[in-house]
């Protein structure tokens, strides 16, 4: 009697699943095909066009697959009408979508139809606002290797893709983003009540010991801003006997949002920038730091000389003083404490209907949560000192950050009492809040803490950690020089400061009027 055959050996236990890596998008498929072919080499990875051409030939050529990825990028907002795609306007999203098609990431049938490839953005920046850590997601053809290089080759130099991460099929850059961190670089002189005063302040100070200087420079600049003077630009006028700030105050600058009618409304520490990011880069001169235009690409100049003052109030001894900005004001410890105390009032959950447009106070979307708001380090760029204002929040509405900065500056310059901060955050009050210029604002990072924690065993974290050096170099080459150049050449913030008066913003004395009414009608107030 023949003996029974020995029992077959049990298959080895499956190995631990590895994390998905963005370095090679098709490693798993290549490994599977390698085993199926008995160890033979797998066929080469084909491009999308090659794969499509091979279908008709009947060959055994495998098709490329779309991958759900999160793309990390940075951009300088000069010359663009914001991030979100808008028909007839040049936008970051529009250029990026076209680059994805030209790079083979999106097929011809899906060109210009982002919903077909699950498109989503983590943040929607306004016109002129830059970003160093924007994240977009979608299903793209990222094979063969070199997807990032192909994208950058089809993008303007002021838009750079740093890399991408493989993500889960349900990932959405907007919905999965826990917090956004924005930075606003505010010139130090903006916090000086005596710098770039309005016309009323200049007239009132005449004959006193602290007579305010006339700001001829801003008066001439105001004539060159289309629409600011109510007449077309003209040659610079050499007359100095006329009122300095009258022309620039004829009406609020274009960056100021119109007054919201009553009943209507609409969207920790001083962290310093690593000085090593600048390296031996040369210092930008006043001639080299030119603002970006359609004819001249942003970032053509050398990287700016950027220095951070870790000691509060430290000022650059060799920094050149520009006309109309000479002052004894320094952002010292006292000023820092007061400014941070003002910014701290925004922290927590509040109704920000006065800090946006087209959102009513009763709308649930007007309630937003601010995690932190700090202004500590002083950054010197091209000889101009900037206060680095960092705000972290779950989400922000249209113009919200710029309006928060605008009101805080007005309080620091004593244009309105500090009690206006609480008044502007009230749901039952409608006030007109000034909007700071957009040029100093940029998106620093989008945070995905919950997603990274949940999928840490199978997917790479979506963060800026791997791209920190590239992002800092991009900021030093494009974003910082643009901010400094706009202030040096056009006086973006300086012109805006002249509009911070009670003629343009009558609500600045809202609390005083309310107090006077309460005192005149004590019985009605008690009721």
């Amino acid at each position: 009697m023949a003996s029974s055959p020995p029992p077959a050996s049990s298959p080895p236990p499956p190995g631990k699943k590895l994390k998905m890596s963005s370095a090679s998008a098709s490693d798993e498929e290549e490994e599977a095909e390698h085993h199926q072919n008995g160890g033979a080499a797998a066929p080469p990875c084909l491009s999308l066009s090659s794969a499509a051409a091979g279908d008709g030939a009947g060959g055994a050529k495998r098709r490329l697959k779309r991958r759900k990825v999160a793309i990390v990028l940075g951009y300088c907002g000069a010359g663009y009408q914001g991030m979100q795609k808008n028909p007839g306007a040049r936008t970051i999203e529009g250029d990026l979508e076209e680059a994805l098609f030209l790079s083979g990431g999106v097929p011809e049938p899906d060109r210009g139809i982002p919903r077909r490839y699950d498109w989503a953005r983590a943040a929607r920046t306004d016109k002129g606002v830059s970003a160093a850590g924007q994240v977009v997601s979608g299903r793209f053809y990222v094979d063969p290797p070199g997807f990032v290089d192909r994208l950058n080759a089809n993008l303007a130099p002021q838009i750079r893709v740093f890399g991408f991460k493989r993500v889960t099929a349900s990932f959405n850059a907007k919905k999965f983003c826990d917090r956004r961190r924005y930075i606003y670089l505010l010139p130090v002189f903006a916090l000086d009540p005596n710098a770039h005063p309005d016309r009323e302040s200049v007239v009132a100070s005449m004959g006193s010991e602290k007579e305010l200087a006339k700001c001829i420079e801003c008066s001439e600049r105001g004539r060159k801003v289309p629409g600011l003077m109510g007449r077309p630009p003209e040659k610079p006028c050499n007359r100095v006997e006329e009122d300095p700030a009258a022309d620039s105050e004829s009406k609020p600058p274009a960056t100021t949002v119109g007054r919201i009618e009553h009943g209507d409304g609409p969207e920790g520490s001083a962290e310093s920038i690593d000085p090593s990011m600048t390296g031996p880069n040369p210092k930008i001169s006043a001639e080299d730091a030119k603002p970006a235009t359609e004819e001249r690409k942003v970032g053509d100049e050398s990287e700016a000389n950027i220095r951070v003052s870790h000691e509060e109030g430290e000022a650059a001894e060799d920094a050149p003083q520009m006309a109309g900005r000479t002052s004894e004001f320094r952002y010292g410890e006292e000023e820092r404490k007061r400014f941070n105390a003002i910014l701290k009032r925004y922290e927590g959950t509040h109704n920000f209907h006065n800090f946006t447009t087209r959102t009513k106070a009763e709308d649930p979307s007007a309630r937003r949560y601010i995690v932190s708001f700090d202004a500590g380090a002083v950054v010197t760029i091209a000889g101009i000192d900037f206060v680095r204002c960092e705000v972290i929040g779950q989400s922000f509405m249209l113009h919200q950050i710029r309006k928060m900065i605008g009101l805080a500056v007005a309080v620091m310059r004593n244009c309105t009492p500090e009690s206006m901060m609480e008044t502007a955050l009230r749901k039952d009050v409608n006030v007109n809040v000034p909007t700071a210029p957009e040029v100093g604002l940029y998106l620093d990072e989008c945070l995905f803490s919950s997603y990274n924690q949940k999928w840490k065993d199978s997917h790479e974290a979506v963060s800026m950690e791997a791209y920190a050096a590239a992002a800092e170099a991009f900021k030093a080459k494009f974003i910082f020089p643009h901010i400094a150049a706009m202030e040096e050449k056009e006086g973006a913030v300086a012109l805006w400061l002249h509009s911070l008066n009670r003629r343009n913003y009558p609500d600045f004395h809202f609390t005083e009027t309310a107090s006077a009414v309460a005192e005149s009608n004590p019985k009605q107030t008690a009721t």
Side-chain angles (χ1 to χ4, degrees), residues 297-316:
K297 296 293 184 180
V298 178
D300 290 345
E301 56 272 305
S302 302
E303 295 182 6
N305 180 24
I306 306 168
R307 183 173 62 83
V308 180
S309 300
H310 294 281
E311 296 294 333
E312 304 300 343
E314 178 187 350

Side-chain angles (χ1 to χ4, degrees), residues 187 189 217-225 236 284-293 296 301 322-323 325 381-382 384 386 439 480-495:
F189 65 78
E217 181 185 19
C218 289
S219 180
E220 298 300 337
R221 281 173 169 168
R223 292 189 177 88
K224 301 175 185 178
V225 179
I284 284 187
S285 62
E287 281 297 320
D288 293 333
K290 295 181 179 180
T293 59
R296 185 175 183 273
E301 56 272 305
M322 289 163 286
R325 299 179 192 173
I381 307 175
I384 307 177
F386 293 88
V439 65
F480 295 155
H482 171 63
I483 294 175
M486 287 295 290
E487 192 56 45
E488 172 68 24
K489 296 296 183 181
E490 301 184 12
V493 174
L495 283 175

Side-chain angles (χ1 to χ4, degrees), residues 91-327:
T91 63
I92 301 293
E93 202 169 81
D95 282 14
L96 186 57
E97 286 184 10
E98 185 65 15
L100 284 166
F101 166 73
L102 297 175
S103 304
V106 174
E108 176 69 34
D110 295 350
R111 185 180 185 181
I113 312 177
R115 68 176 182 274
R116 289 190 176 181
Y117 44 86
D118 245 0
W119 177 266
R121 74 189 80 82
R124 181 177 56 186
T125 54
D126 300 342
K127 172 186 175 182
V129 177
S130 302
Q134 176 70 281
V135 177
V136 297
S137 63
R139 296 171 59 249
F140 309 113
Y141 293 99
V142 297
D143 292 320
F147 178 63
V148 173
D149 294 335
R150 294 195 299 272
L151 272 178
N152 286 329
N154 290 292
L155 288 170
Q158 68 187 84
I159 306 176
R160 290 293 89 179
V161 173
F162 303 135
F164 68 90
K165 299 288 186 181
R166 290 280 302 277
V167 294
T168 61
S170 61
F171 182 87
N172 183 289
K174 178 181 178 181
K175 297 179 180 179
F176 283 41
C177 183
D178 302 318
R179 300 173 181 178
R180 286 97 174 159
R181 176 168 63 227
Y182 282 84
I183 304 294
Y184 194 98
L185 294 182
L186 179 70
V188 170
F189 65 78
L191 303 179
D192 181 7
N194 297 326
H196 300 282
D198 62 281
R199 180 176 59 183
E200 286 80 359
S201 299
V202 173
V203 174
S205 67
M206 290 183 177
S208 64
E209 296 180 357
K210 296 182 178 181
E211 183 173 349
L212 299 177
K214 295 181 179 180
C215 194
I216 303 299
E217 181 185 19
C218 289
S219 180
E220 298 300 337
R221 281 173 169 168
R223 292 189 177 88
K224 301 175 185 178
V225 179
L228 185 63
M229 301 301 301
R231 59 177 183 269
E234 58 186 12
K235 295 182 179 180
C237 181
N238 296 325
R239 293 177 298 174
V240 298
E241 65 274 13
E242 59 189 18
D243 199 335
D247 290 333
S248 63
E249 292 175 4
S250 298
K251 58 173 108 172
T255 54
T256 303
V257 176
R259 176 181 176 80
I260 301 174
E261 296 297 331
H262 292 277
D264 294 328
E267 141 177 131
S269 56
E271 181 181 347
S272 60
I273 300 176
D274 185 1
S276 63
M277 69 183 179
T278 58
N281 296 324
K283 184 174 183 179
I284 284 187
S285 62
E287 281 297 320
D288 293 333
K290 295 181 179 180
T293 59
E294 293 293 336
E295 295 77 11
R296 185 175 183 273
K297 296 293 184 180
V298 178
D300 290 345
E301 56 272 305
S302 302
E303 295 182 6
N305 180 24
I306 306 168
R307 183 173 62 83
V308 180
S309 300
H310 294 281
E311 296 294 333
E312 304 300 343
E314 178 187 350
E317 297 295 337
D318 57 345
Q321 295 292 338
M322 289 163 286
R325 299 179 192 173
T326 303
S327 173

